[in-house]
Amino acid sequence: MKTSRGKKARKTLGFYVNNYKFRQPFQVLIDGTFAFAALQNKFNIHEQLAKYFQSEIKLLTTACVISETEKLGIFSSKVNGATQIVKQYAIHRCGHEKTPICGSKCLQSMTGKNNNARYIVATQDRELQDKLRIIPGVPLLYLHGKAPTLDSPSAASRKYAETKQKDLGMTTWEKENIKELRKQAGIEEKETKMKKKRKKGGPNPLSCLKKKKKEMTTSNKSDTKSGKIKKRKRKIKIASHIKDALLAELKNEHRA
């Protein structure tokens, strides 16, 4: 099985999980047409579907489906083999045990108007598929050759999910599409890398150092204690020509 097919199946299944509360083990309701196609293509239903969904599944059928395949098995040995396959699965009560009806009508009655029991219907009957697509919340499964294919959500399923999610502002379908677009653009990868780079570090060690107080000299300390502060005398510089003039006056005074 291709990885892209498996991813698509999980994405579609996630739509029903988010919007219609589907839970594991997923209940797969199988009819005679699906069992017949599996027999022709040598497809192991339980083993291959478990790999396809990558989750727990529970295979079911109804008494109407078994009785229908038994009647068709009279005319063909191949259909008889499909009957043996269907009989392996758990028989779910459909309410037609006394008077069995057509298999397709039985499955329609099982899903009802809104598929409250949350069945995944596995059928090759195209007419039945078209009828079930009108009902919101009914996942359809069929075989494309040997490949199992979970059909994309129908228009009815999407519309119901959108109206249900309107109060939240954005539908889950839109959110999934946005996620895909973000992955394609590589935005999510960049954001994760940026988050990894940004590590919370401690404070700057230089800012934690205590400020050194200016030490006062012993002389200043003693002066401050006694209350006396010594002032330094400034030396007055006298120009040379003034000195000469003063000396000349002094000499004249001595002569007189």
Side-chain angles (χ1 to χ4, degrees):
M1 185 183 68
K2 292 182 180 180
T3 53
S4 59
R5 191 183 292 123
K7 282 181 181 179
K8 189 180 177 181
R10 288 190 293 276
K11 185 180 177 181
T12 305
L13 200 59
F15 170 82
Y16 290 103
V17 169
N18 293 326
N19 293 291
Y20 293 94
K21 297 181 181 179
F22 276 65
R23 294 289 179 269
Q24 292 191 46
F26 299 111
Q27 298 183 106
V28 184
L29 198 58
I30 297 170
D31 72 346
T33 61
F34 189 86
F36 182 72
L39 185 65
Q40 280 187 318
N41 292 290
K42 296 179 181 179
F43 179 84
N44 190 316
I45 294 173
H46 189 275
E47 185 181 339
Q48 295 298 321
L49 288 185
K51 284 182 181 179
Y52 180 63
F53 290 121
Q54 290 190 359
S55 55
E56 294 179 16
I57 57 169
K58 189 177 181 181
L59 303 178
L60 305 170
T61 190
T62 64
C64 296
V65 170
I66 291 171
S67 64
E68 186 181 46
T69 50
E70 280 178 342
K71 288 175 182 177
L72 293 170
I74 298 168
F75 304 102
S76 175
S77 58
K78 289 182 180 179
V79 178
N80 190 25
T83 308
Q84 298 304 317
I85 292 170
V86 172
K87 281 183 177 180
Q88 295 174 7
Y89 310 131
I91 300 170
H92 214 288
R93 288 183 182 179
C94 59
H96 315 123
E97 285 78 14
K98 292 181 179 179
T99 54
I101 59 173
C102 176
S104 59
K105 287 182 179 179
C106 179
L107 295 187
Q108 275 185 271
S109 67
M110 291 290 284
T111 55
K113 292 181 180 180
N114 50 14
N115 195 18
N116 282 331
R118 299 176 183 85
Y119 296 116
I120 298 171
V121 180
T123 181
Q124 300 295 109
D125 189 345
R126 290 189 179 181
E127 189 179 345
L128 177 60
Q129 289 173 2
D130 292 337
K131 287 177 181 178
L132 292 176
R133 283 190 182 100
I134 301 168
I135 303 166
V138 182
L140 293 172
L141 181 70
Y142 58 89
L143 286 176
H144 184 71
K146 291 184 179 182
T149 305
L150 185 64
D151 199 20
S152 298
S154 63
S157 295
R158 289 186 186 183
K159 190 176 180 181
Y160 179 82
E162 284 173 4
T163 52
K164 193 178 177 182
Q165 296 291 332
K166 264 184 181 179
D167 296 335
L168 300 175
M170 188 183 290
T171 63
T172 52
W173 189 258
E174 287 171 343
K175 286 177 183 177
E176 287 174 6
N177 287 335
I178 288 166
K179 282 182 182 179
E180 287 296 320
L181 290 169
R182 286 171 70 86
K183 283 180 182 178
Q184 288 174 12
I187 295 167
E188 285 190 358
E189 291 178 3
K190 288 178 183 177
E191 285 180 355
T192 51
K193 284 179 182 178
M194 288 292 287
K195 284 178 182 178
K196 286 179 181 178
K197 283 181 181 178
R198 289 177 185 172
K199 291 181 180 179
K200 289 183 178 180
N204 189 352
L206 295 173
S207 64
C208 296
L209 293 172
K210 291 181 179 179
K211 291 182 180 179
K212 291 182 179 180
K213 293 181 179 178
K214 291 182 179 179
E215 294 180 358
M216 295 177 71
T217 57
T218 53
S219 60
N220 288 336
K221 284 180 182 178
S222 60
D223 290 340
T224 50
K225 284 179 182 178
S226 60
K228 294 178 181 179
I229 298 170
K230 291 181 179 180
K231 292 183 179 179
R232 291 181 181 179
K233 291 181 180 180
R234 292 181 181 179
K235 290 180 179 181
I236 300 167
K237 290 183 179 181
I238 301 168
S240 58
H241 67 279
I242 295 169
K243 283 181 179 181
D244 294 337
L246 289 170
L247 289 168
E249 285 181 3
L250 287 168
K251 284 178 182 181
N252 291 326
E253 285 177 1
H254 285 297
R255 284 177 186 176

